[in-house]
């Protein structure tokens, strides 16, 4: 890819948003905007990062592509494969486990007909296990896209899942 | 019961929209800052009050805040930074999320005061990426504070410049370790740094940096308004003030309870509605998943403060109290925690990367009835082989719990090996 092509893979809107983040850091520390920039680009791309997008972000921030790859592969919120239209994450860490998270996850798996880590065939939902969401007071807790849902029973899970487009 | 709840970080919790500037100002918000700026209070005086208060770091390590703030002074060459660790993620802990959501201005005021004390012009709040709602609250509060003249250049006409920016993580427990957090804020993998040098000498971008937990910063304005001695007297010597305890697990009313340090555990348990379903208390993890477990009957004799819990062989940590009833399989609890630490190991130190995996696999096979006699010794042996041999304490965070589970619940592990199921 040419320099121009690498840049043009990022939308105008994404670049503007990254520019806003860049105002927070010293001018010589553009790399600090990497995590936010990957979030922005992932959100715009239906929830996942392609190698081309990761490289595009690296190029935009003036850092080696490998510096962006190693970050994209390190953090759990970045998806490197296509995902469903909705991400559903069930916390299975200790406090949620003590209040029925395993049973909840098993219920959701059977309701959706997929295992954790998989996407429904219609591309509607990607189901995942999550490590502690810091919502242990409302265990079991589930994160759906950007929102937390607490004290989730199978009945409530039903409603939440059925409401997803 | 005579405990008054919520005196510090949650003191405005009962009010309408406590997260707004208007509500915070009505509760004497930003008064401590105004007084400092008007009087040009010397940094040394502020540090002294914090030392008197005996405020200790609320993120888990319990390091004295006054001492930490004395490491960098206004005369330390710039640039230097103040950083807030809002990467809450230790299983059992959910207090910072509520402070961020319900009292962001008190955190901001505490951070501005920290910037004043060390002479920093820029500060960052590193918030975990999943916290969309708290991030929005903090972002709005920063805008409000800026518009009101508390942030920016020449704040309140004092000549002091203070800018606070929020930054987002992307899902990695290890970024709660302060040097991993700084790496992450620099746009890198969250891998802890060798220490020394400590952040006070070599922090963000290699510059002197003061880094504290959300609850620590948010405690500061109230301490400075009411005095170090007032705060100290709320708790007990060396364990000053109130602390938020996140109570989760098998209780009737899980939630955050801000109570005096030194409160008997039995009273905290009562506040949380007691053990659920009429069952008996079996065990408690008193300070987040990395704290060694304590049997229930021992716990009932302890008070909730750093020194008492440490004396009992565990730690107060972040104040996350995980309660387990008498139906709990302790093998499963340990296995689940081991899985967490294995998942979250950053991988740079071999003893941790490999050791957490061994502990997780051995615990898992014991839980599922596939363990052998030898596995019981193996698990402890692998755990102990990690301790003190890594850059950060993530490995210790599962190793020491392993030892405690084997000390108090060894017969359950043996039963699993022998009978292939729970007792």
């Amino acid at each position: 890819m040419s320099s121009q092509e690498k840049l043009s893979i990022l939308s105008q809107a994404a670049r503007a948003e990254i520019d806003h983040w860049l105002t927070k850091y010293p001018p010589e520390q553009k790399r600090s905007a990497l995590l936010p920039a990957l979030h922005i680009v992932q959100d715009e791309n239906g929830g996942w990062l392609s190698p081309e997008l990761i490289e595009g972000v690296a190029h935009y921030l003036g850092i080696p592509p490998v510096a962006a790859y190693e970050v994209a592969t390190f953090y759990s919120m970045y998806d490197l494969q296509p995902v469903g239209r909705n991400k559903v994450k069930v916390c299975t860490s200790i406090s949620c486990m003590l209040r029925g998270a395993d049973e909840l996850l098993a219920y959701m798996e059977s309701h959706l007909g997929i295992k954790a880590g998989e996407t429904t065939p219609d591309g509607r939902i990607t189901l995942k296990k999550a490590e502690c969401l810091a919502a242990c007071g409302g265990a079991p807790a589930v994160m759906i896209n950007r929102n937390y849902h607490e004290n989730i029973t199978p009945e409530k899970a039903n409603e939440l899942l059925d409401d997803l487009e | 019961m005579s405990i008054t709840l919520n005196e510090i970080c949650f003191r405005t919790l009962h009010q309408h929209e406590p997260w707004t500037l208007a509500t915070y100002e009505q509760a004497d918000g930003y008064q401590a800052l105004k007084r400092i700026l008007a009087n040009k209070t010397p940094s040394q005086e502020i540090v002294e009050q914090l030392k008197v208060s005996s405020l200790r770091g609320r993120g888990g390590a319990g390091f004295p805040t006054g001492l930490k703030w004395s490491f960098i002074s206004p005369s330390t060459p710039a640039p230097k930074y103040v950083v807030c660790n809002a990467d809450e993620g230790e299983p059992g802990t959910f207090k910072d999320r509520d402070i961020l959501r319900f009292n962001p201005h008190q955190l901001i005021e505490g951070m501005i005061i920290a910037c004043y004390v060390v002479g920093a012009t820029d500060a960052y709040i590193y918030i975990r990426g999943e916290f969309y709602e708290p991030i929005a609250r903090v972002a709005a509060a920063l805008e409000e504070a800026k518009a009101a003249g508390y942030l920016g250049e020449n704040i309140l006409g004092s000549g002091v410049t203070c800018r606070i920016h929020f930054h987002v993580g992307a899902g990695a427990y290890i970024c709660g370790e302060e040097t991993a957090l700084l790496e992450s804020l620099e746009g890198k993998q969250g891998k802890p740094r060798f220490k020394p040098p400590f952040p006070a000498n070599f922090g963000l971008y290699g510059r002197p940096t003061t880094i504290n937990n959300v609850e620590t910063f948010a405690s500061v304005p109230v301490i400075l308004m009411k005095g170090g001695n007032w705060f100290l007297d709320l708790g007990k010597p060396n364990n000053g003030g109130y602390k938020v305890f996140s109570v989760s697990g098998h209780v009737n009313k899980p939630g955050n309870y801000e109570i005096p340090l030194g409160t008997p555990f039995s009273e905290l348990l009562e506040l949380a509605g007691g053990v659920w379903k009429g069952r008996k208390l079996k065990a408690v993890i008193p300070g987040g998943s990395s704290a060694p477990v304590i049997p229930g009957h021992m716990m009932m004799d302890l008070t909730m403060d750093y020194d008492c819990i440490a004396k009992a062989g565990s730690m107060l940590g972040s104040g996350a109290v995980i309660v387990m009833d008498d139906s709990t399989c302790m093998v499963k609890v340990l296995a689940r925690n081991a899985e967490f630490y294995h998942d979250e190991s950053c991988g740079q130190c071999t003893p941790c990367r490999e050791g957490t995996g061994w502990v997780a696999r051995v615990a898992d096979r014991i839980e599922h009835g596939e363990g052998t006699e030898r596995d019981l010794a193996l698990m402890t042996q692998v755990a102990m082989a990690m301790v003190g041999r890594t850059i950060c304490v993530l490995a210790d965070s599962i190793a020491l719990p392993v030892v405690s589970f084997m000390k108090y619940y060894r017969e359950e592990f043996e039963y699993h090996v022998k009978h292939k199921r729970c007792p």
Side-chain angles (χ1 to χ4, degrees):
Chain A
M1 271 196 305
S2 73
S3 240
Q4 200 49 44
E5 281 168 335
K6 279 182 203 163
L7 272 186
S8 62
I9 196 161
L10 304 188
S11 74
Q12 203 70 22
R15 277 185 262 177
E17 224 183 311
I18 295 170
D19 287 346
H20 168 71
W21 279 91
L22 283 169
T23 63
K24 299 179 181 222
Y25 317 103
E28 70 281 11
Q29 301 290 352
K30 286 169 83 172
R31 185 172 174 174
S32 272
L34 179 55
L35 271 69
L38 291 172
H39 279 302
I40 291 163
V41 171
Q42 172 166 285
D43 286 349
E44 233 187 29
N45 188 49
W48 72 289
L49 289 165
S50 64
E52 292 76 20
L53 282 171
I54 296 170
E55 205 171 324
V57 168
H59 194 75
Y60 193 68
L61 295 177
I63 59 176
V66 65
Y69 282 124
E70 65 178 27
V71 162
T73 53
F74 185 84
Y75 295 92
S76 67
M77 287 180 77
Y78 301 127
D79 283 297
L80 306 179
Q81 301 292 331
V83 291
R85 292 189 295 282
N86 301 284
K87 290 182 192 174
V88 175
K89 300 177 186 176
V90 182
C91 177
T92 54
S93 292
I94 173 168
S95 297
C96 284
M97 179 202 92
L98 290 172
R99 294 180 81 97
D102 289 5
E103 295 74 13
L104 177 65
L105 178 65
Y107 175 82
M108 288 167 106
E109 286 179 335
S110 84
H111 183 75
L112 295 171
I114 53 172
K115 289 282 172 200
E118 295 176 353
T119 301
T120 53
D122 60 2
R124 194 167 67 96
I125 292 171
T126 295
L127 182 67
K128 288 185 174 194
K129 274 205 254 186
E131 296 291 11
C132 189
L133 294 170
C136 328
V142 173
M143 185 176 180
I144 301 181
N145 300 323
R146 293 182 168 219
N147 298 314
Y148 277 32
H149 301 271
E150 303 181 40
N151 300 306
I152 300 304
T153 56
E155 297 74 51
K156 279 195 215 168
N158 249 348
E159 278 174 40
L160 290 169
L161 293 177
D162 291 348
D163 278 352
L164 297 173
E165 296 287 317
Chain B
M1 180 149 319
S2 57
I3 299 177
T4 313
L5 288 174
N6 304 342
E7 287 280 322
I8 314 289
C9 296
F10 290 142
R11 66 195 181 89
T12 54
L13 198 59
H14 59 287
Q15 306 216 3
H16 177 66
E17 300 194 336
W19 53 86
T20 62
L21 178 60
T23 305
Y24 185 59
E25 282 180 329
Q26 270 167 24
D28 287 334
Y30 290 108
Q31 286 302 324
L33 175 68
K34 281 181 181 165
R35 201 154 69 192
I36 289 166
L37 293 177
N39 299 342
K40 299 197 187 322
T41 310
S43 292
Q44 185 55 38
E45 257 178 51
I46 297 169
V47 165
E48 212 42 56
Q49 279 304 307
L50 292 178
K51 282 184 179 169
V52 168
S53 77
S54 151
L55 173 65
R56 293 170 63 168
R58 301 304 197 216
F63 191 82
T65 307
L67 183 60
K68 187 181 268 190
W69 286 24
S70 73
F71 294 154
I72 307 173
S73 76
S75 61
T76 309
K80 48 201 162 180
Y81 299 98
V82 166
V83 175
C84 173
N85 184 343
D87 191 45
E88 184 169 57
E90 165 104 355
T93 316
F94 50 96
K95 66 191 178 65
D96 296 337
R97 175 173 170 238
D98 279 1
I99 297 172
L100 295 167
R101 286 196 296 171
F102 301 125
N103 200 3
H105 281 288
Q106 198 163 307
L107 164 65
I108 292 168
E109 185 179 3
M111 289 183 71
I112 300 171
I113 295 170
C115 286
Y116 174 89
V117 167
V118 304
T121 54
D122 286 272
Y124 295 92
I125 308 176
Y126 183 108
I127 312 179
R128 68 177 287 178
E130 293 88 346
F131 275 2
Y132 288 98
E133 184 195 11
I135 289 168
R137 286 272 168 82
V138 168
L142 286 173
E143 286 305 317
E144 276 186 314
K146 201 152 70 178
Y150 295 119
L151 285 174
E153 321 255 312
N154 188 21
I155 59 174
L156 303 174
S158 64
V160 171
T161 293
C162 182
R163 293 175 287 256
I164 301 182
H165 319 274
F166 69 91
H167 182 90
V168 295
Y173 166 73
I174 193 60
C175 291
E177 198 276 349
E178 60 183 17
T179 60
L181 183 146
L182 296 174
E183 288 285 301
S184 182
L185 183 45
E186 291 179 5
K188 302 170 192 162
Q189 294 187 339
K191 290 183 174 172
R193 299 172 180 170
F194 276 111
K195 293 167 285 289
F198 291 96
N201 292 316
F202 189 93
L204 181 62
Y205 309 130
R207 302 300 307 171
T209 300
T210 299
I211 176 165
N212 277 115
N213 169 259
V214 172
E215 187 185 353
T216 313
F217 280 122
S219 298
V220 168
V222 187
I223 293 172
L224 296 179
M225 212 153 49
K226 300 192 174 179
N229 274 312
W230 171 83
F231 190 77
L232 173 65
D233 292 344
L234 290 174
K236 58 191 251 192
N238 199 35
N239 297 267
Y242 270 55
K243 159 103 194 70
V244 180
F245 289 98
S246 302
V247 185
S248 68
H250 296 155
V251 291
N252 283 309
K253 290 192 293 178
N256 285 317
Y257 298 90
E258 190 175 37
I259 58 170
L261 281 169
T263 301
F265 168 74
S266 57
E267 287 184 36
L268 177 60
L269 182 61
E270 202 179 319
L271 278 172
V275 180
W276 75 351
K277 300 182 180 175
R279 291 185 187 150
K280 290 200 172 62
L281 178 66
K282 178 171 186 176
V284 177
I285 296 175
S289 57
S290 59
V293 67
I294 297 183
H297 67 275
M298 281 173 65
M299 204 60 211
M300 291 305 273
D301 293 331
L302 303 180
T303 57
M304 298 307 294
D305 55 85
Y306 297 96
D307 296 340
C308 184
I309 300 293
K311 217 171 133 192
S314 186
M315 59 180 195
L316 195 70
S318 55
V321 180
I322 303 167
V323 176
M324 289 162 271
D325 71 22
D326 57 3
S327 73
T328 310
C329 170
M330 300 310 280
V331 181
K332 184 171 178 180
V333 170
L334 182 66
R336 187 59 53 96
N337 272 345
E339 186 187 336
F340 174 84
Y341 287 97
H342 179 46
D343 263 9
E344 299 294 344
S345 171
C346 81
Q348 70 174 330
C349 305
T350 308
C352 173
R353 183 186 64 238
E354 302 302 322
T356 53
W358 272 93
V359 172
R361 286 189 298 275
V362 174
D364 184 73
R365 66 180 181 240
I366 297 173
E367 185 202 341
H368 291 101
E370 292 151 14
T372 62
E373 271 299 320
R374 197 177 149 267
D375 282 339
L376 298 174
L378 179 64
M379 192 166 63
T380 312
Q381 193 189 335
V382 172
M384 288 317 291
M386 299 191 281
V387 174
R389 292 190 171 87
T390 51
I391 289 173
C392 81
V393 295
L394 189 136
D396 298 20
S397 299
I398 186 61
L400 300 179
V402 165
V403 174
S404 69
F405 275 76
M406 291 306 283
K407 176 178 172 187
Y408 294 118
Y409 301 102
R410 190 181 176 88
E411 73 281 8
E412 279 190 42
F413 288 81
E414 286 170 345
Y415 195 98
H416 271 260
V417 167
K418 206 167 166 194
H419 301 277
K420 318 286 180 205
R421 60 177 174 83
C422 293

